[in-house]
Amino acid sequence: TYIYARHSYFHLYCVQPDAHGRFQIALPASQSTTALFLESPDLRARVQMVTPDNPRQVVFNTYKVEKAPGAVVDWMKKNAVPIDSPEPGTGFADLQPLKQVVGNARIVGLGEATHGSREFNLMRHRIFEYLVKEMGFTAVGIEASMADAFAVNQYVLNGTGDPEKALAGMHFWTCNTREVLDMILWMREY
């Protein structure tokens, strides 16, 4: 059994309980809700929500997770492309299959399974670097209003303003992370 805690901007913590199933996670103070995701060998996931107003308040939801059919697993094994690392700046050897996937497309959409997750934002940055350096892409679209994103654009193009304040000024919490800021800094440097 492993316990995953998504906290604040969805940083992921993982601990292994002791032989009796006990565990302890010390999370930093936050104004947001913390969700503890418990996964166990019997394929049941339990979600415990703890709010800042009442740290002992608990809401449980239990989900039965079904195993994927063999045909699905076989297809995934045949078609999955292993990624060496989500970290930007770690080279592109493992990303070369993207050239075939992207082909002659002029627009590539990059989504995520959860908003604000560190690993997804790191991977988005890494793929963006690949698309720019290896495939000639020159723009990134972000899920925010044009007026709010203007300050970020001015920083990337001209180096004017404070990139942290510009990012926060987009008022879109899922982008206001260290990882997205690092991507903006990379764009300016590049």
Side-chain angles (χ1 to χ4, degrees), residues 118-158:
R118 181 175 189 276
E119 292 79 8
F120 288 120
N121 282 328
L122 288 173
M123 195 68 210
R124 183 189 336 267
H125 179 170
R126 185 165 181 239
I127 291 172
F128 183 67
E129 282 185 18
Y130 174 81
L131 293 171
V132 168
K133 289 183 173 182
E134 298 286 311
M135 298 191 70
F137 281 77
T138 59
V140 63
I142 210 161
E143 194 175 346
S145 75
M146 184 175 166
D148 288 343
F150 186 75
V152 172
N153 193 55
Q154 287 303 304
Y155 174 77
V156 170
L157 294 178
N158 306 314

Side-chain angles (χ1 to χ4, degrees), residues 16-88:
Q16 188 168 11
D18 64 21
H20 303 287
R22 293 179 300 221
F23 66 93
Q24 184 174 0
I25 300 175
L27 300 172
S30 172
Q31 297 301 311
S32 64
T33 299
T34 296
L36 299 179
F37 294 83
L38 298 101
E39 294 184 355
S40 62
D42 68 355
L43 299 177
R44 294 197 179 274
R46 188 169 66 182
V47 181
Q48 174 180 346
M49 303 298 288
V50 182
T51 65
D53 297 334
N54 186 353
R56 298 200 179 275
Q57 177 185 354
V58 177
V59 178
F60 287 104
N61 293 310
T62 303
Y63 304 94
K64 175 69 175 168
V65 181
E66 301 292 336
K67 288 187 177 181
V72 172
V73 173
D74 291 343
W75 182 91
M76 290 177 74
K77 285 179 180 178
K78 181 180 174 187
N79 292 286
V81 177
I83 302 296
D84 294 336
S85 170
E87 296 288 335

Side-chain angles (χ1 to χ4, degrees), residues 9 164 167-170 172-181:
Y9 283 108
E164 234 175 300
L167 182 60
M170 290 197 314
F172 196 59
W173 71 267
T174 61
C175 292
N176 194 11
T177 67
R178 179 70 226 184
E179 295 76 30
V180 174
L181 178 61

